[in-house]
Amino acid sequence: MSYHKRRRDVLKAVGVTGAIGLAGCSADTGDEGDGGDGDDDGGDGDDDGGDGDDGGDGGSGGGSPDLITVIGYPESGIQLFRDYYSASDGEEDILIPDGLQDPSLPGQVGNEMSNVTGTAPAAGGPNQEAFEELYRDEYDESPGVFTSQSYDSAAALILANVAGGENDGTAVRDQLRRIANPDGTEYGPGEFLDAVEAVADGENINYQGASSAVNFDENGDPASAAYSIWEFAGQDADSVDVQETETFEGSDPDGSGPSADESPGGLGREVSLGILLPETGDLASTGQPMIRAAELPAQQINDSDIDLEVNARFEDTNTSPDQGVSGAESLVNAGVPAVCGTASSGVNVPVSEEVLIDNEVVGCSPSSTALSVTNLDDDDYIFRTAPSDQLQGRVMAQVASERLGAETAATLYVNNDYGQQLSERFAEVFEEEFDGEVYDQISFNIGESSYSNVIDQALSSGD
């Protein structure tokens, strides 16, 4: 077990960034049973294997697709895109989700990747600018994808712990909606210490986050979420170019679900928090900034004169279900009542089912977006600050049709829950709501030495 607790000196924050509000993008739970994960959406890649290039649903013919949707993670994406640009001159539009939002990818691939458009859950909350300034002051760098969700997850879990007055998972669970959903005094990252003191005094607060308003619905999912539409900035860039950000609301934007009637609060104790994110493995490039963001709320308290100490215990998932479960067990054995993590559904689902739920420990993932997380039999112990792929699949289909003008598509997806279910959700909405046609859905495995076969299959899927 490793233990992370870092001291920082300067903490500042203020501001609000607006977003374009679009109604009607309902984040219903549908019937997509055991779905995927964006996670970072990354997803924890090697979770449930499969046959790799076995192909998908088959197509109906009509030439090469206008669009190829690629769902995967950076390490495998390097070889996959190298093989793609060896086989194609880049005439097709390519659409990718947040799992491949790595600014260094073009440099590693050796191509500008100018035909690639991405979507990703964004920092579109009412306190986005406040968080960004706080993160820059702490780390002298700009926050990356899912960092705002990581901060909000850790902040909400700490506030719920302080409100509950004890290191107890059930107490944290019962306080989460009380400190986050409407009907309380509003606080954000810039006023986080004031929020801590307020809940310690038993006051009712409404935490307003960097990633969203952080209103949890009855499933523990965000009731609304912002998405960015972005492009790669070049082979030497250290960030991506965000073209626009739009906010999509579910059918219950204020959130709902069980909540405590009061907050015992109290000071003079240690608050325990677990952080279970990928410092190594396929999502390391995304996970490391997420870890830093998750540590910030604890640092704010530990650097203040508030009579509380936050013990933030960290475990690395290594982007692996087995190591994620092992790390979760270490945190539970250490008495942690709530965990910020994991990063992806390939890890989040087994960690939740095998460790957190049975031990009555709260999990709040900042980037696990799988539909399967919504449908867990979790007794309300599993939350997340990242939106479900139920919503991202629709966003991707809308971008494909309305922004890129695609009428036909093929999907290449990493062979796990995240990839399969996001591919299926995209295809469903693209065909049923935007009159498109998906020629084929083709799976691939992580860590292959070549992806030429699946690339060729996607490029010829309409033949």
Side-chain angles (χ1 to χ4, degrees), residues 8-285:
R8 304 290 171 184
D9 296 323
V10 183
L11 299 170
K12 300 177 182 177
V14 60
V16 175
T17 294
I20 303 170
L22 296 180
C25 295
S26 174
D28 58 24
T29 58
D31 57 359
E32 287 89 342
D34 40 316
D37 161 60
D39 305 302
D40 321 356
D41 204 96
D44 292 326
D46 44 18
D47 53 289
D48 50 322
D51 300 328
D53 348 332
D54 55 343
D57 300 333
S60 58
S64 299
D66 303 327
L67 173 82
I68 296 176
T69 297
V70 180
I71 303 167
Y73 314 125
E75 288 189 10
S76 303
I78 295 169
Q79 186 61 49
L80 189 149
F81 277 104
R82 285 175 180 170
D83 292 341
Y84 164 77
Y85 287 111
S86 293
S88 172
D89 57 9
E91 290 184 356
E92 306 83 13
D93 284 317
I94 293 181
L95 182 64
I96 62 177
D98 46 273
L100 285 162
Q101 193 188 58
D102 184 344
S104 67
L105 196 59
Q108 294 171 303
V109 171
N111 190 287
E112 293 293 310
M113 301 181 68
S114 58
N115 62 326
V116 176
T117 299
T119 64
N127 289 288
Q128 173 187 352
E129 288 185 1
F131 163 73
E132 289 179 350
E133 185 174 353
L134 174 65
Y135 190 95
R136 289 192 191 98
D137 285 345
E138 285 294 300
Y139 301 118
D140 195 28
E141 64 183 28
S142 297
V145 65
F146 290 113
T147 51
S148 62
Q149 287 87 353
S150 298
Y151 180 94
D152 287 342
S153 171
L157 292 175
I158 290 172
L159 288 169
N161 188 313
V162 175
E166 57 181 324
N167 286 308
D168 178 79
T170 302
V172 173
R173 177 197 68 178
D174 294 345
Q175 294 291 334
L176 261 176
R177 292 185 183 87
R178 179 173 169 83
I179 60 92
N181 290 10
D183 298 329
T185 303
E186 294 185 356
Y187 297 93
E191 306 83 35
F192 180 66
L193 296 178
D194 294 331
V196 171
E197 291 184 308
V199 295
D201 289 337
E203 298 177 20
N204 194 16
I205 74 164
N206 177 13
Y207 175 72
Q208 296 282 290
S211 61
S212 72
V214 193
N215 295 331
F216 295 111
D217 67 16
E218 63 182 358
N219 298 306
D221 291 342
S224 64
Y227 281 85
S228 62
I229 301 168
W230 57 275
E231 298 173 355
F232 286 114
Q235 294 189 49
D236 299 320
D238 59 2
S239 62
V240 298
D241 287 336
V242 175
Q243 305 299 303
E244 65 179 290
T245 298
E246 299 181 358
T247 295
F248 295 81
E249 291 186 345
S251 58
D252 182 21
D254 290 336
S256 62
S259 177
D261 294 328
E262 60 182 8
S263 299
L267 295 170
R269 67 183 186 90
E270 181 180 270
V271 173
S272 184
L273 172 71
I275 299 174
L276 185 61
L277 293 170
E279 190 172 44
T280 58
D282 205 44
L283 290 177
S285 61

Side-chain angles (χ1 to χ4, degrees), residues 35-50 71-76 97-100 146 275-288 290-291 314-328 339-352 354 356 364-370 372-373 384 389 413-420 422 444-447:
D37 161 60
D39 305 302
D40 321 356
D41 204 96
D44 292 326
D46 44 18
D47 53 289
D48 50 322
I71 303 167
Y73 314 125
E75 288 189 10
S76 303
D98 46 273
L100 285 162
F146 290 113
I275 299 174
L276 185 61
L277 293 170
E279 190 172 44
T280 58
D282 205 44
L283 290 177
S285 61
T286 302
Q288 290 169 10
M290 293 171 65
I291 294 164
F314 169 77
E315 289 286 342
D316 178 17
T317 68
N318 189 236
T319 322
S320 159
D322 289 342
Q323 189 159 329
V325 168
S326 176
V339 174
C340 171
T342 65
S344 68
S345 304
V347 172
N348 196 31
V349 170
V351 163
S352 298
E354 297 177 31
L356 301 183
C364 185
S365 172
S367 58
S368 167
T369 59
S372 54
V373 177
R384 51 184 169 181
D389 279 335
Y413 64 88
V414 62
N415 197 13
N416 61 17
D417 277 356
Y418 162 51
Q420 179 182 357
L422 183 52
F444 64 88
N445 286 328
I446 285 176

